[in-house]
Amino acid sequence: MADQKAPTRTGEPHITALLADRRDEILNLWIKERLEADEFRDELISKKDLRQQSRQVVDMLVQAIKDSGGEDFDHPAFDDLRSYLNEISHMRAVKGYTPMENATYVLSLRNVVGPLLAEELEGDAETLVREMNYFTRLLDKMGLVMVENFLRSREEIIRQQRADMLELSTPVIKVWDKILTLPIIGTLDSRRAQMMTEALLQKVVETGSTIAILDITGVRTMDTLVANHLIKTVTAARLMGARCILTGVSPAIAQTMVQLGIDLTQITTRAQMADGIKLALEMIGRTVVPTKALARLQNGNGDGLQKTIKQTEQIITSGGEKKQEG
């Protein structure tokens, strides 16, 4: 890349007239060069959009050179062009372009303009060198702007995707009236544990739930840090009026917790989520009745059916209340 300082100019650079007078020819050659390049992917941008962007770049470049009086790219006259290049690079970052594809888009304009400028200034080697150095510096700065903004845009996208994945990795699901479940998959770190606790507490407030089932079937390893996160979550939920049931405790995790001396005596545990849901239903005075049992009741005497249903409801209600009090 050229790094020479631009000489003092007494008039408008010749490159300005070339870009303006032969714009359509330059655009045609530039688009052709892009379409034939290995990095061009028509699934990311249409030929129409590519031509429109390229025309805008050339027009804004010509205007910026005129307004700056032939100064370098740091001049305020290039601010609009710089903003447009940032817009293009951001769009390309979202669509999945690579940094190389992003940079070569602008730099490839030199391959088109160079021969045309040499043709215009044939026999004037000194002016040709000066004009090419100036134009090359502009393109280099334009390429750097696109790459820098491209990288910033990719970082923003990655941060947003990470936040979305963290949010999706801690879904709080309402499985029944007053019963929530929170399946935990993977490893818990401090940030994810904080998001998990906040999501659970928010859902408890929104739904008025009194039971929360934390399922750790998808947790591969259990250490002191993970256990402490779980205990803090259970404690916070209890302060909000919700009792927690820990399910999915595998034999390996159970042995690990015993070896680490982790005290989970304050947390109700069950081996499987199904057992946790059954316990949660009992805690709120509900039960699951098989359809065959209902069919047998319905086929019996009507008075006997009503009496049996009332007795069942009384047993379930009293049993649930006793367990909740206990």
Side-chain angles (χ1 to χ4, degrees), residues 164-181:
D164 293 341
M165 290 179 65
L166 284 174
E167 184 175 353
L168 292 173
S169 66
T170 55
V172 182
I173 306 167
K174 182 177 180 180
V175 295
W176 200 267
D177 184 36
K178 297 185 179 301
I179 300 177
L180 299 175
T181 181

Side-chain angles (χ1 to χ4, degrees), residues 281-302:
L281 289 171
E282 293 176 356
M283 293 170 68
I284 63 171
R286 299 288 187 273
T287 190
V288 178
V289 179
T291 55
K292 291 183 178 180
L294 285 176
R296 286 196 297 268
L297 290 173
Q298 291 174 353
N299 293 331
N301 180 269

Side-chain angles (χ1 to χ4, degrees), residues 41 44 90-99 101 150 154 157:
R41 290 182 283 171
L44 299 181
H90 177 75
M91 177 273 295
R92 288 171 172 251
V94 172
K95 289 189 174 182
Y97 280 83
T98 66
E101 292 170 341
F150 177 88
R154 288 298 294 270
I157 293 171

Side-chain angles (χ1 to χ4, degrees), residues 73 82 85-86 141-150:
F73 192 74
R82 188 179 295 106
L85 293 176
N86 286 337
K141 292 290 184 66
M142 291 167 63
L144 286 175
V145 166
M146 291 198 69
V147 171
E148 289 176 355
N149 189 73
F150 177 88

Side-chain angles (χ1 to χ4, degrees), residues 72-294:
D72 281 335
F73 192 74
D74 297 331
H75 193 278
F78 290 90
D79 287 348
D80 289 342
L81 175 59
R82 188 179 295 106
S83 298
Y84 186 66
L85 293 176
N86 286 337
E87 179 183 334
I88 293 176
S89 61
H90 177 75
M91 177 273 295
R92 288 171 172 251
V94 172
K95 289 189 174 182
Y97 280 83
T98 66
M100 179 65 69
E101 292 170 341
N102 204 38
T104 53
Y105 166 66
V106 170
L107 298 179
S108 63
L109 184 57
R110 176 170 44 200
N111 301 333
V112 174
V113 174
L116 298 181
L117 187 61
E119 177 185 322
E120 291 277 341
L121 297 175
E122 185 178 1
D124 190 351
E126 181 180 353
T127 303
L128 175 61
V129 171
R130 184 176 66 249
E131 293 288 336
M132 278 303 301
N133 284 340
Y134 173 66
F135 186 62
T136 298
R137 281 195 301 275
L138 290 181
L139 292 183
D140 289 346
K141 292 290 184 66
M142 291 167 63
L144 286 175
V145 166
M146 291 198 69
V147 171
E148 289 176 355
N149 189 73
F150 177 88
L151 295 178
R152 284 195 298 269
S153 298
R154 288 298 294 270
E155 290 175 357
E156 292 175 2
I157 293 171
I158 292 173
R159 283 196 295 268
Q160 183 60 47
Q161 290 176 340
R162 182 181 180 185
D164 293 341
M165 290 179 65
L166 284 174
E167 184 175 353
L168 292 173
S169 66
T170 55
V172 182
I173 306 167
K174 182 177 180 180
V175 295
W176 200 267
D177 184 36
K178 297 185 179 301
I179 300 177
L180 299 175
T181 181
L182 174 60
I184 305 172
I185 301 174
T187 303
L188 279 178
D189 55 19
S190 298
R191 182 180 178 186
R192 187 181 175 203
Q194 180 67 23
M195 292 185 63
M196 179 186 73
T197 303
E198 292 177 356
L200 178 61
L201 298 182
Q202 182 64 30
K203 202 70 173 181
V204 167
V205 173
E206 291 177 358
T207 61
S209 298
T210 57
I211 307 295
I213 303 173
L214 306 182
D215 183 71
I216 61 172
T217 304
V219 177
R220 296 181 179 178
T221 59
M222 175 67 68
D223 54 20
T224 306
L225 180 63
V226 175
N228 288 335
H229 287 321
L230 291 175
I231 293 173
K232 290 179 180 179
T233 301
V234 171
T235 303
R238 185 182 296 119
L239 292 174
M240 298 296 295
R243 300 176 62 181
C244 291
I245 302 173
L246 185 65
T247 65
V249 182
S250 65
I253 289 182
Q255 293 177 7
T256 301
M257 289 191 292
V258 171
Q259 293 173 359
L260 294 175
I262 299 172
D263 183 15
L264 295 178
T265 56
Q266 300 300 320
I267 305 177
T268 303
T269 61
R270 289 294 184 271
Q272 299 179 359
M273 180 180 284
D275 298 328
I277 294 176
K278 180 180 178 181
L279 175 60
L281 289 171
E282 293 176 356
M283 293 170 68
I284 63 171
R286 299 288 187 273
T287 190
V288 178
V289 179
T291 55
K292 291 183 178 180
L294 285 176

